[in-house]
Amino acid sequence: MLKNILYVLVTGTCCQALAWAIGVSGFVLNDNLEPLPYATVTHPKTGSWVIADEEGRFLLQTAVEPYDSLVFYRYGYREKTLVTAGAKQLKISLQRDAIPMDVVEVKGQAIPGNTPWETVIVTETDQMNSLGVFQRVPGILLKTYGGRAGISNVGMDGGQAEHTKIVLDGIDLTSPQNGQTDLSEIPLVFFQQMFQSRYPSIDYGSGSMDGVIHLSPWFNRSFVNVATGTFGYKSASAGYRLAFPNTAVQLIGGGFSSIEDYSFSLNDSTYNRENNGIEQTFFGGRVQFLQSRKTIIKTSLFLSSSDRGVAGSISFPSPNANRKNTLSLANATLIRILNSGHISIQVSRRANDEQYSDPDFAVNSHHEVSSQRLKMKWNRRLLKHLEANTSLELCNEMINSSDIGNRDRSLTAASVSLAYNVTPGFVVRPSFRRDVGESFRATTTDFNVQVKIPVLGQIRGRVGNGFRLPT
């Protein structure tokens, strides 16, 4: 049954919506027009700053007015001051710092339509509607089972949910128990941008053959948001940012509840659909520390706790069934910027504690699922037109279940990727990845070609393979 829900914003939302309107986002590129990771973007007028991610993306949520200046800096490259000219999406290219020069001032450029790194911005309306934001990603099919209280996952290009990986702030959200990600456990206020990985199978291996969707948290502003709506929907959230010249602390928390029971007609009779309610509380925090211009430390913590009804099917309802789950995500990354690249070391953990009970059928199950990862990456420009990316990943997955007992496995993966700029606009990128476990071996290859042709724009071709481990 289709349910149209009306939401009323009570306090604080006008200020938050304004923050979205006046912020700027974009990309930082190198002199080969490839993404330049971990550049620092500063707005001198307000003192706000943000660190671009590994794909060169940034989102600065502050009062950037037309013709304000933004300062871009990364060790090994010349600092640039960009005049925004009123554009809300920008691109900036930094040149290598081979010869000491004064600061260069340039005019901002809006992102052209053929830029290959599409980004979806999460708006206030999206945060009220769990369906809207994911449907804006090209090729995404959102699958929901039971409204807000039910499971929600996504597939790409008609594929299964097990073939699409979801990553929040570098943390793999895939459950080792079923190979999927339940998006109903991830509050939309946890992230403000979404984009697809350019090289999913090489970067993430198992379960990423259809693609990888990155959820990027950029909640670098303070806000209060309260909302209410039909079907008993109520929500409240708040965020606070404390920024210093070299340290930024961002906190967010809140919760929502919804009853969502409704009536429906079947065979000329009216029935009540019950036990669709959900209550969820959440907390998130991030700390970014610029130890120096060459060393960056980033940490994040996300927690959500849900208590929901499980209505069952129309033929076999379960009016007393209940599912409680607590999801915890943690991540710490150390980044060392080199003159010709960077090295990063990341430690992350995903843990989920789930309890399901149905007294009508004497069911009471408990599942604890966790995964720990250590990932090391090395990026280096070997020659002017040749860049190398290598990675080593160690992973341990564990399940403690009242139904199947205790299970665990250890995984190791290594990858090598080379990017060669044959001519300006013509890039060839061969890649290789090897995954090894106690009872399996898997090899992933990828060959990517990118050509920019006048009038036609940018054409990309890719051939490769992928795999998925059994749960």
Side-chain angles (χ1 to χ4, degrees):
M1 178 179 180
L2 180 62
K3 298 182 289 184
N4 296 317
I5 300 179
L6 172 66
Y7 296 99
V8 181
L9 304 182
V10 179
T11 64
T13 307
C14 293
C15 295
Q16 190 176 359
L18 180 61
W20 284 112
I22 59 180
V24 295
S25 63
F27 306 94
V28 183
L29 311 175
N30 62 18
D31 44 6
N32 288 325
L33 299 183
E34 285 289 302
L36 183 62
Y38 308 125
T40 301
V41 185
T42 305
H43 184 226
K45 184 176 179 180
T46 61
S48 298
W49 57 272
V50 69
I51 301 172
D53 65 13
E54 192 174 8
E55 294 279 342
R57 291 177 170 84
F58 69 90
L59 174 61
L60 186 63
Q61 297 171 272
T62 190
V64 180
E65 299 176 351
Y67 304 105
D68 276 1
S69 296
L70 296 176
V71 179
F72 294 76
Y73 175 81
R74 186 188 187 275
Y75 178 77
Y77 290 79
R78 301 175 197 163
E79 180 179 301
K80 276 190 177 181
T81 299
L82 180 146
V83 180
T84 61
K88 294 302 180 183
Q89 284 193 305
L90 308 170
K91 69 170 183 176
I92 186 74
S93 175
L94 300 185
Q95 303 296 317
R96 291 191 57 77
D97 192 13
I99 302 175
M101 296 181 64
D102 294 332
V103 173
V104 180
E105 181 173 305
V106 298
K107 293 290 185 179
Q109 293 179 291
I111 295 178
N114 64 346
T115 299
W117 309 294
E118 298 84 0
T119 304
V120 174
I121 302 293
V122 183
T123 67
E124 283 298 306
T125 303
D126 292 326
Q127 293 183 4
M128 298 297 113
N129 178 10
S130 60
L131 303 180
V133 63
F134 291 100
Q135 291 177 328
R136 289 166 52 203
V137 178
I140 284 293
L141 175 62
L142 178 69
K143 307 170 187 178
T144 62
Y145 306 89
R148 289 183 180 272
I151 295 173
S152 299
N153 52 43
V154 297
M156 296 184 66
D157 299 326
Q160 303 178 34
E162 295 89 342
H163 296 168
T164 299
K165 194 173 289 291
I166 312 295
V167 177
L168 172 64
D169 200 23
I171 306 170
D172 188 344
L173 302 184
T174 305
S175 170
Q177 189 174 23
N178 56 21
Q180 301 181 12
T181 297
D182 182 5
L183 295 174
S184 70
E185 299 178 354
I186 310 298
L188 292 181
V189 294
F190 275 0
F191 60 95
Q192 285 70 44
Q193 280 187 341
M194 296 195 309
F195 62 93
Q196 299 180 34
S197 176
R198 295 187 298 153
Y199 312 107
S201 297
I202 296 299
D203 290 340
Y204 290 95
S206 172
S208 60
M209 64 275 286
D210 285 346
V212 174
I213 300 175
H214 289 268
L215 311 179
S216 296
W218 296 100
F219 40 90
N220 48 21
R221 85 284 191 222
S222 300
F223 70 92
V224 175
N225 189 0
V226 180
T228 186
T230 56
F231 293 94
Y233 177 83
K234 299 176 181 178
S235 74
S237 60
Y240 179 73
R241 181 175 192 260
L242 184 63
F244 302 98
N246 296 321
T247 306
V249 180
Q250 299 135 12
L251 302 174
I252 192 169
F256 79 90
S257 63
S258 183
I259 300 174
E260 302 212 3
D261 293 342
Y262 60 93
S263 60
F264 67 95
S265 298
L266 179 66
N267 297 328
D268 298 326
S269 298
T270 300
Y271 302 89
N272 291 323
R273 184 76 166 148
E274 300 178 343
N275 201 25
N276 291 291
I278 179 174
E279 294 183 2
Q280 184 179 90
T281 57
F282 52 83
F283 169 81
R286 298 183 77 212
V287 177
Q288 299 181 81
F289 176 57
L290 296 173
Q291 194 272 334
S292 67
R293 287 197 163 191
K294 299 172 64 175
T295 304
I296 302 171
I297 300 174
K298 302 194 300 180
T299 64
S300 57
L301 174 67
F302 303 95
L303 304 172
S304 72
S305 178
S306 304
D307 186 350
R308 66 189 82 194
V310 182
S313 64
I314 294 178
S315 302
F316 300 96
S318 52
N320 297 308
N322 176 266
R323 181 164 70 98
K324 298 180 180 180
N325 61 282
T326 300
L327 177 68
S328 62
L329 309 168
N331 173 35
T333 305
L334 172 64
I335 303 159
R336 180 68 174 177
I337 306 298
L338 308 175
N339 189 46
S340 299
H342 68 271
I343 297 174
S344 66
I345 301 175
Q346 179 193 54
V347 179
S348 63
R349 173 178 169 81
R350 176 199 184 277
N352 195 10
D353 188 322
E354 180 177 312
Q355 300 180 42
Y356 174 79
S357 63
D358 188 349
D360 296 334
F361 293 92
V363 175
N364 188 9
S365 61
H366 184 202
H367 312 278
E368 296 178 346
V369 183
S370 65
S371 59
Q372 296 75 224
R373 298 177 186 272
L374 170 64
K375 193 167 188 177
M376 296 169 283
K377 293 183 177 181
W378 176 64
N379 166 275
R380 184 174 178 82
R381 180 179 290 190
L382 303 177
L383 301 170
K384 182 178 180 180
H385 299 292
L386 180 62
E387 182 178 306
N389 290 275
T390 62
S391 70
L392 175 64
E393 182 176 353
L394 306 176
C395 175
N396 178 257
E397 300 176 337
M398 296 184 294
I399 299 177
N400 183 2
S401 171
S402 59
D403 295 340
I404 64 173
N406 299 336
R407 307 286 178 87
D408 73 276
R409 66 182 177 189
S410 297
L411 312 170
T412 303
S415 69
V416 178
S417 181
L418 299 174
Y420 181 58
N421 288 267
V422 181
T423 60
F426 182 19
V427 182
V428 177
R429 187 180 184 115
S431 304
F432 173 88
R433 178 184 172 109
R434 181 70 168 171
D435 288 77
V436 178
E438 296 176 358
S439 60
F440 80 96
R441 302 286 189 276
T443 299
T444 304
T445 58
D446 186 277
F447 188 77
N448 190 291
V449 178
Q450 180 176 303
V451 182
K452 187 174 183 180
I453 300 176
V455 182
L456 295 179
Q458 197 167 66
I459 299 176
R460 289 180 289 170
R462 178 184 169 220
V463 59
N465 68 302
F467 72 99
R468 182 173 75 86
L469 289 175
T471 56

